[in-house]
Amino acid sequence: MIALEPHVVAGARAAGLGAIADKVAAGERLSLDDGATLYRTPELHVVGALAGAVREHLHGDRTYFNVNQHVNYTNLCNKLCRFCAFQRLPGQDGAYVMSPEEVGDKIRAHLHEPVTEVHMVAGVWPKLEYGYYLDILRAVKAARPDIHVKAFTMVELDQIAKTAKRPLAEVLPELVEAGLDSCPGGGAEVFADRVHQEGYKLKQSGDAWLETARTVHRAGLRTNCTMLHGHVETIEERVDHLDRLRRLQDETGGFQTYIPLSFHPQNTEWAHLPGPTAVDELREIAVARLLLDNVPHVKAYWILMELGMAQLCLSYGADDVDGTVVEERIYHDAGATTPQRTPRDELIEAIEDAGRVPVERDTLYNVVWSADEPAAAPT
Ligand code: V47
């Protein structure tokens, strides 16, 4: 049972969302039709209030962040996704592959900071040898043995297994042995075949992404999940995507966090599309919090939307703002105007300014430091 404030119930009834509010209060699963209604209702503040109530039921005011560092080890990619500004082919301006030594150097450059996670994703390039992936994992751990390595989207893992010419289930223990600790949520885009064909047909299908995630969860690794929204997809395709994530989560329980990724059009083949508005971003957070009743966390990734928007998202269902990041390429190549990094104390201040309680977490949501128990603050 979730206690909804009387004004939230009244607002929901006035907006024609009374039946959905009753289900939310009873902790009942929302249907696909409910999802479409939440996307279409003009009263976004009511959707946000319902999602905010769920967020507070799950996490109170606690708002998570981490001290992390991104490493994008190559931008070579043969998937040619129409939404992507990061990808390069060999010989193109700015194309690069980091050696394992360079990956280690990136980690060593931040040893003076209390980084607990490296987030390591890249393009998909079949000419990279299987041993390369093991070597970059080992290079990270050699540089910083206690760091958590969150690396490789389902799309990259699919390629790594193909390169190794072995099933992923066999390859995963070797990646773990080399240093892999968990996996990020990217590469899911929108699962619907129609959108896949129109925007990223060379990439693994939605079904294949889900099957890869199933294999990863069965191997005992936690992952995140995402949806890239605000391009050519319909509302029904978004609801279907969230429902497919929800069904896999019922089966495996392996997803920790859902992150809506708002499409950034600049320098992409879809540059003529307007991309989502700030209002769309709020709605994605809120609808996801309400539909994904079995995913513990919803993240407002500040890199996508400015810290001010991420603060607002904390009242629309989000309980996490991601981390310090340090160096980001995927969104900045596609026109993001956010800074490359936000220092730890600024994340704390932003969360407090939004009226919430900052909690520094590690990748698996163990508490590193919390404003409500500040004694163990890291230096
Ligand atoms: O896989 C690429 C998307 C993803 C664009 O798991 C784009 O904690 C919008 O997955 N506009 C990478 N989106 C980012 C990602 C992520 C980010 C933060 C945290 C976590 C996590 C995961 O970004 C890609 C793709 O789906 N993407 N280009 C673009 N132009």
Side-chain angles (χ1 to χ4, degrees):
M1 293 288 286
I2 299 179
L4 296 178
E5 302 265 355
H7 72 272
V8 175
V9 177
R13 299 226 184 285
L17 300 176
I20 291 181
D22 289 344
K23 285 190 187 177
V24 171
E28 250 177 64
R29 177 157 284 190
L30 300 185
S31 67
L32 275 65
D33 283 347
D34 293 334
T37 301
L38 291 168
Y39 270 119
R40 291 206 164 92
T41 191
E43 283 85 0
L44 173 59
H45 59 286
V46 176
V47 181
L50 291 171
V54 173
R55 175 251 203 265
E56 280 163 25
H57 173 74
L58 291 172
H59 306 291
D61 279 332
R62 297 193 121 204
T63 298
Y64 297 93
F65 70 97
N66 72 350
V67 180
N68 66 347
Q69 179 182 356
H70 283 214
V71 174
N72 302 125
Y73 55 88
T74 183
N75 59 0
L76 291 182
C77 192
N78 68 357
K79 298 300 174 202
L80 310 181
C81 301
R82 299 185 73 189
F83 61 78
C84 183
F86 174 68
Q87 62 188 323
R88 295 285 185 284
L89 291 169
Q92 279 186 328
D93 208 22
Y96 70 90
V97 183
M98 289 182 194
S99 66
E101 293 68 33
E102 285 169 317
V103 170
D105 288 345
K106 289 267 176 205
I107 303 297
R108 272 186 291 277
H110 295 279
L111 287 179
H112 58 289
E113 293 175 49
V115 176
T116 58
E117 168 193 283
V118 59
H119 169 120
M120 192 159 69
V121 299
V124 176
W125 194 244
K127 289 194 176 156
L128 292 175
E129 290 177 4
Y130 174 53
Y132 170 81
Y133 297 98
L134 299 172
D135 286 344
I136 57 174
L137 292 168
R138 290 185 189 121
V140 171
K141 290 285 186 179
R144 193 161 197 162
D146 57 352
I147 205 167
H148 179 109
V149 182
K150 181 181 77 178
F152 308 140
T153 63
M154 300 306 106
V155 188
E156 289 161 273
L157 286 176
D158 188 45
Q159 181 58 53
I160 293 170
K162 285 187 176 123
T163 303
K165 298 193 174 63
R166 280 185 290 141
L168 180 60
E170 259 183 41
V171 166
L172 280 170
E174 294 173 3
L175 295 172
V176 169
E177 174 71 24
L180 181 68
D181 294 303
S182 69
C183 301
E189 322 318 357
V190 172
F191 292 142
D193 288 339
R194 184 195 71 82
V195 187
H196 181 256
Q197 278 305 308
E198 191 169 334
Y200 31 92
K201 61 180 179 213
L202 299 182
K203 182 175 248 173
Q204 67 177 177
S205 67
D207 283 342
W209 190 98
L210 289 160
E211 186 52 37
T212 308
R214 181 179 283 114
T215 305
V216 174
H217 294 170
R218 283 191 181 147
L221 291 166
R222 309 304 299 273
T223 76
N224 291 336
C225 54
T226 59
M227 175 171 69
L228 171 64
H229 66 90
H231 42 89
V232 301
E233 83 286 5
T234 63
I235 283 176
E236 278 66 26
E237 285 161 344
R238 284 186 216 158
V239 173
D240 167 70
H241 184 97
L242 294 174
D243 179 55
R244 289 211 235 174
L245 290 175
R246 186 167 73 174
R247 282 190 274 143
L248 181 60
Q249 180 73 341
D250 278 342
E251 198 185 310
T252 67
F255 293 129
Q256 300 201 107
T257 305
Y258 169 76
I259 310 134
L261 300 172
S262 51
F263 172 52
H264 281 46
Q266 213 173 301
N267 304 321
T268 76
E269 274 192 48
W270 276 345
H272 57 286
L273 298 176
T277 63
V279 168
D280 296 330
E281 307 209 54
L282 285 175
R283 194 183 291 271
E284 287 304 327
I285 294 278
V287 175
R289 183 60 288 166
L290 290 165
L291 284 190
L292 295 177
D293 51 17
N294 51 5
V295 176
H297 301 280
V298 173
K299 187 187 283 185
Y301 181 34
W302 66 265
I303 284 272
L304 300 174
M305 55 171 76
E306 310 283 349
L307 208 43
M309 264 301 290
Q311 286 176 306
L312 197 50
C313 287
L314 300 181
S315 295
Y316 277 72
D319 62 280
D320 192 309
V321 296
D322 200 72
T324 49
V325 176
V326 178
E327 185 185 0
E328 200 285 330
R329 287 173 184 257
I330 296 173
Y331 286 91
H332 288 86
D333 284 357
T337 53
T338 46
Q340 286 282 337
R341 65 177 303 154
T342 296
R344 180 178 179 278
D345 52 354
E346 278 181 36
L347 286 179
I348 291 174
E349 198 179 309
I351 293 167
E352 282 176 339
D353 285 353
R356 307 285 173 175
V357 176
V359 178
E360 184 184 344
R361 59 167 177 83
D362 67 12
T363 312
L364 301 176
Y365 286 83
N366 298 302
V367 174
V368 174
W369 170 85
S370 156
D372 42 14
E373 286 167 41
T379 49

